[in-house]
């Protein structure tokens, strides 16, 4: 049997408010960037290469750093809301769709009822 003290904590290492503020800032920056086409995709930098090549961590990581890393990866990927993305539309790229997804996942990720 594993002692409770040996189990990793599932708590964030930042306050909920700090995590939410960081996530909101990332979304706001992304939404502003979607208003104009970019000349090209951002280059995959050394940090992104490191993230994509490494195994998942055995222990926890910094909440705010994880949000920043996720933003880096998502910004480098091809995004549907960008003005020059013509391939397909898999889901709503509208701001209201993002807000709806946020509320749905916060209250009931399974959307059971």
């Amino acid at each position: 049997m594993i002692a409770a003290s040996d189990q990793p904590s599932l708590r964030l290492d930042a306050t909920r408010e700090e995590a939410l503020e960081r996530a909101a800032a990332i979304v706001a920056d992304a939404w502003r960037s979607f208003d104009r086409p970019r000349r090209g995709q951002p280059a995959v930098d050394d940090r992104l290469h490191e993230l994509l090549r490494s195994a998942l961590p055995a222990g926890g990581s910094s909440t705010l750093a994880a949000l920043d890393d996720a933003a880096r990866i998502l910004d480098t990927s091809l995004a549907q809301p960008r003005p020059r993305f013509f391939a397909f539309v898999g889901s709503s790229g509208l701001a209201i769709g993002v807000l709806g997804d946020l509320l749905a996942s916060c209250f009931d990720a399974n959307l059971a009822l």
Side-chain angles (χ1 to χ4, degrees):
M1 176 177 239
I2 298 175
S5 61
D6 294 336
Q7 294 197 9
S9 172
L10 298 178
R11 295 184 188 275
L12 299 176
D13 67 336
T15 67
R16 288 180 180 165
E17 290 76 16
E18 290 171 322
L20 185 57
E21 286 175 12
R22 179 68 58 89
I26 290 168
V27 170
D29 287 344
W31 282 357
R32 279 190 293 277
S33 78
F34 296 154
D35 291 339
R36 61 192 177 285
R38 9 186 211 203
R39 295 203 176 265
Q41 283 297 110
V44 177
D45 60 17
D46 291 339
R47 174 69 181 147
L48 186 52
H49 273 292
E50 177 188 334
L51 287 169
L52 296 174
R53 280 190 288 225
S54 62
L56 293 175
S61 57
S62 163
T63 301
L64 302 181
L67 286 170
D68 291 340
D69 287 341
R72 171 182 273 120
I73 290 169
L74 292 169
D75 188 53
T76 304
S77 66
L78 293 174
Q80 294 178 16
R82 296 222 175 269
R84 291 189 177 157
F85 186 88
F86 299 116
F88 60 89
V89 177
S91 63
S92 177
L94 299 175
I96 195 65
V98 173
L99 296 173
D101 286 346
L102 170 68
L103 290 174
S105 64
C106 178
F107 286 96
D108 185 0
N110 298 309
L111 297 177
L113 298 172

